[in-house]
Amino acid sequence: MPSAPVILSGTPGSFARDVFHERHPKLVQQVLDALPYGPSERVAIAELLAESTDGVLQPLSISAHDHQQWLEWGEGLFGRPWGDAPFLWAESYFYRRLLEATGYFRPGTWQGIDPFAPFKDAELSGPAVAAELAALGDLPSGFTDKRAAALLSSALWGNRADLSFQITAEAGGSIASDLVADDSESLWAELERAKGGRVCIIADNAGRELLPDLVLVDHLLASGLAAQVVVYVKPQPYYVSDAMMADVLATVERLRTATTAAAATIGERLWRAMNSGTLVIRTHPFFCAPLPFHDMPADLRSEFTGAAMTILKGDLNYRRLVSDQLWLPTTAFTGVASHFPSAVTALRTLKSDVIVGVDAAVVAQLDSAGTPWRTNGRHAVIQVDLRR
Ligand SMILES: O=P(O)(O)OC[C@@]1(O)O[C@H](CO)[C@@H](O)[C@@H]1O
């Protein structure tokens, strides 16, 4: 296994530092504007923001159900500046602490209230999703390669729409959609070869991303490429718009009740697939852990073992798959993803510094353009690691 420096959250001038110092203050303000939290929640949220930008890491309150777990995950980090912590760890802990500040886990008014629900709801009922539903009627019919390619592309680029990224994305301008690595042929060939097996999807964002993900799930099931699809979602609100079970239900309902016949048909099929168990939605606490997938616990590992393919969506899942390290971009994807218990495909738009598996000539071309191609969300990868 190759090695590379772990990305830290406080390196001056880094993308990671900007997330804490630019993105989080805006995010926190949006949360405070979206829900009428009371004085104690507002104070706790403000204190978290101050601590995570200029203070030292404080442990979770002793009454938190996962206090001990976080003490273990953060051994050696508590009492030190947030900027000393690995980016993956610190960002994950920030979202856990935000739930603590809003009272998400505590008995009381705000227990179980998703602080990001207003954004998710607005997106699902908004014009962009309506346009996507309408566009489903224009897709090539039948289970053709053309339809499969269109659905894969929608699921991939749907990842660009995540709400966290929108906070700092450059406004306006045309977006040069650009795949910097494309193993899609290998993905379809493998799905065909292992036809009729179980396909796992580790979902990312709700709304405009989950919608095309579920349409892709429908295609895999209805075409017979997969006998069963298991979609993994987050057990709690996380990284702003990450999908939870409630978001899956809302999205299936949005499809079912769409006025476009094609969308409604897909929604009905997904509903029936859940009834029959060919579509299963699962979660696990590890999906909100601050660790790479390399460290997944045995019970979760066994769920992926034997899957024909696991498709990982998005930037964070990519960071967790290959580890949040400053790899040389030409490092082989297979060299850093081979620990995963099944064949894997990463569908990811580039929104953070981590990147592997790109040809040297492509890297040179991207570098010479002088744009922040690793983080500006304009480029994407479809990368496959088979288990044969
Ligand atoms: O996993 P996703 O939704 O594709 O991206 C999550 C993300 O927006 O959050 C982090 C910054 O907060 C970045 O690593 C990444 O760009």
Side-chain angles (χ1 to χ4, degrees):
M1 174 105 176
S3 69
V6 170
I7 298 177
L8 299 179
S9 62
T11 306
S14 67
F15 171 78
R17 190 177 188 282
D18 280 359
V19 166
F20 279 85
H21 289 260
E22 290 180 23
R23 185 175 296 197
H24 286 177
K26 289 180 190 154
L27 162 64
V28 159
Q29 193 53 53
Q30 288 183 357
V31 168
L32 291 173
D33 291 345
L35 286 167
Y37 285 117
S40 61
E41 292 82 23
R42 297 179 74 84
V43 167
I45 292 170
E47 283 176 357
L48 169 62
L49 193 58
E51 182 195 309
S52 63
T53 44
D54 295 316
V56 295
L57 284 154
Q58 303 291 343
L60 273 177
S61 117
I62 195 138
S63 56
H65 68 280
D66 46 355
H67 167 82
Q68 192 55 38
Q69 173 69 88
W70 275 98
L71 280 188
E72 285 164 24
W73 282 336
E75 203 188 332
L77 290 174
F78 292 108
R80 289 171 56 190
W82 278 68
D84 285 1
F87 180 40
L88 180 67
W89 190 97
E91 216 180 356
S92 194
Y93 188 54
F94 176 85
Y95 284 101
R96 175 61 189 90
R97 287 283 303 278
L98 189 60
L99 295 187
E100 201 59 9
T102 65
Y104 182 83
F105 289 113
R106 268 191 309 282
T109 317
W110 297 100
Q111 186 170 32
I113 301 293
D114 180 349
F116 311 123
F119 316 136
K120 292 175 174 175
D121 293 346
E123 186 169 297
L124 198 58
S125 58
V129 164
E132 288 195 24
L133 290 170
L136 281 176
D138 302 331
L139 280 178
S141 56
F143 301 115
T144 59
D145 291 354
K146 223 171 153 193
R147 180 180 171 91
L151 296 182
L152 187 68
S153 174
S154 303
L156 170 67
W157 292 107
N159 177 247
R160 190 161 51 195
D162 87 88
L163 299 170
S164 171
F165 187 67
Q166 281 170 22
I167 291 173
T168 43
E170 293 163 45
S174 65
I175 293 170
S177 300
D178 198 1
L179 275 179
V180 299
D182 181 6
D183 296 340
S184 51
E185 269 184 31
S186 165
L187 167 65
W188 292 116
E190 182 64 9
L191 288 172
E192 192 59 50
R193 194 196 64 82
K195 196 169 181 161
R198 171 169 50 95
V199 173
C200 299
I201 298 189
I202 305 184
D204 186 15
N205 300 292
R208 273 170 70 191
E209 180 166 2
L210 187 60
L211 180 75
D213 290 348
L214 290 176
V215 175
L216 180 63
V217 166
D218 171 66
H219 177 86
L220 295 175
L221 287 171
S223 66
L225 278 177
Q228 187 184 49
V229 176
V230 184
V231 177
Y232 289 88
V233 294
K234 302 295 186 303
Q236 64 207 41
Y238 197 55
Y239 277 75
V240 188
S241 44
D242 280 20
M244 300 160 58
M245 181 59 178
D247 301 307
V248 174
L249 297 180
T251 308
V252 171
E253 194 55 14
R254 185 83 177 86
L255 278 159
R256 274 178 94 208
T257 54
T259 47
T260 316
T265 304
I266 292 170
E268 273 306 323
R269 277 202 299 251
L270 288 168
W271 182 285
R272 286 203 307 274
M274 287 179 78
N275 286 157
S276 65
T278 53
L279 170 56
V280 178
I281 315 297
R282 290 186 60 79
T283 188
H284 190 286
F286 189 73
F287 287 115
C288 292
L291 304 174
F293 286 135
H294 183 271
D295 299 336
M296 80 169 70
D299 60 336
L300 185 57
R301 180 165 282 273
S302 69
E303 292 198 27
F304 293 115
T305 305
M309 177 64 72
T310 300
I311 299 174
L312 288 99
K313 293 294 318 287
D315 198 84
L316 175 63
N317 283 324
Y318 190 86
R319 290 165 63 191
R320 296 188 73 188
L321 176 67
V322 306
S323 286
D324 211 23
Q325 291 173 235
L326 282 175
W327 302 109
L328 282 176
T330 48
T331 306
F333 176 72
T334 48
V336 287
S338 59
H339 62 84
F340 201 84
S342 72
V344 273
T345 298
L347 294 187
R348 175 231 186 181
T349 58
L350 277 55
K351 295 186 279 183
S352 70
D353 285 318
V354 184
I355 180 71
V356 293
V358 183
D359 283 349
V362 177
V363 174
Q365 188 199 339
L366 290 164
D367 283 344
S368 70
T371 54
W373 61 272
R374 293 166 182 244
T375 57
N376 68 10
R378 295 187 179 184
H379 301 278
V381 292
I382 300 173
Q383 291 174 322
V384 175
D385 179 21
L386 301 176
R387 288 289 172 277
R388 289 181 290 121

